[in-house]
Amino acid sequence: MKKLLKRFISFILVFCMIFEFLPFGNIVSAAGPETYSLANGNIEVIVSAENGGFLVRTVDGDSFSKDDNNKDLLFHNGEYDTSFTSFKVTEGTKVKEYIFGGNYSFLGLGENTLEVKKENDSIIATWSVDELTFTQIIQPVWNEGSNEHGTVGIYYTVENGKNTPVDVEARRLLDTALGSQDYGFYELALDSGGYNRIEKECIVDGEDISANFFAYDNFNNPSITAYTVNDTSAGGKSPYKVAFGHWNNLGATIFDFNPDTEMTFSNRYNKRYLTADSAYALYYDLGTVPAKNS
């Protein structure tokens, strides 16, 4: 079973929005007293009422393939905590990090006030701490004519009650699972043609980040494919870098990550962990956010 190291440090943030897309659907249903779900005949998303974490999985999957039915696209251990969003905030000379949905009461920042509900075909998780209110919205892309139709959008907004401006960066870590396989082989399209195949820990940044990229359960004969689409619209945010790594390495960090370039995360017999386990993290620069009264 995975163990997640979480070092909780105080954090300050204001208004921002980031976009990310994964396969999705359109019928709303309840998944039990501690979770909420949205699903159609193809894809299901389940959100935890405990920490706002979520699981994405197929129902019917690709209509042309039966091998991808009822398959996880993110790892699920019952705790919904191996994929998470974190923030790095700089306020003057102070740098602080925070994980969405965490309990920071031991730092004197108030109790965890996470509330999760379904509203207007979305699952909304609202969380307040240290004069800040964070909102996570998971909703489908409904427009059938859109290139992102059949995906789920994940949005974040944060309101600040502070009186000082801050510089904000965000990191979205996604713990890849493709069915019962707890790792994937990644592929990024290159502007020059062809693809950049990734099996070792690395950082991809700048113009090398493609508008979308893929995770396969097998490069040569894939039966399950998951994809990420970056928002390249005028009002959207695209990542300034993407980190790929073994989950044990990425999951042990809140924000900054130094890849072990010799670590092949798809190798089930790697000397460090003796497991194949992959994840990736998208980094966003949200810029300077103003003080409350500015």
Side-chain angles (χ1 to χ4, degrees), residues 178-291:
L178 300 170
S180 60
Q181 181 172 300
D182 195 14
Y183 66 95
F185 302 90
Y186 301 103
E187 191 171 72
L188 284 74
L190 300 174
D191 290 339
S192 57
Y195 296 89
N196 178 14
R197 289 188 169 183
I198 298 174
E199 294 184 68
K200 291 186 176 183
E201 291 193 351
C202 67
I203 299 290
V204 178
D205 54 17
E207 296 181 354
D208 292 330
I209 302 174
S210 56
N212 53 71
F213 54 86
F214 305 86
Y216 303 99
D217 60 338
N218 185 301
F219 267 143
N220 298 318
N221 187 29
S223 62
I224 305 174
T225 301
Y227 61 97
T228 296
V229 181
N230 296 316
D231 182 14
T232 58
S233 66
K237 279 286 183 181
S238 294
Y240 65 84
K241 73 177 179 181
V242 182
F244 296 89
H246 195 287
W247 183 90
N248 288 64
N249 290 344
L250 264 175
T253 64
I254 293 179
F255 202 88
D256 294 325
F257 172 69
N258 294 315
D260 176 356
T261 57
E262 299 302 314
M263 167 63 71
T264 303
F265 47 73
S266 60
N267 179 9
R268 298 175 179 174
Y269 308 103
N270 69 78
K271 294 181 180 179
R272 187 169 181 182
Y273 298 115
L274 296 177
T275 60
D277 193 349
S278 73
Y280 62 103
L282 300 99
Y283 289 78
Y284 300 86
D285 183 358
L286 303 179
T288 300
V289 289

Side-chain angles (χ1 to χ4, degrees), residues 42 89 147 187:
N42 295 322
V89 178
N147 291 332
E187 191 171 72

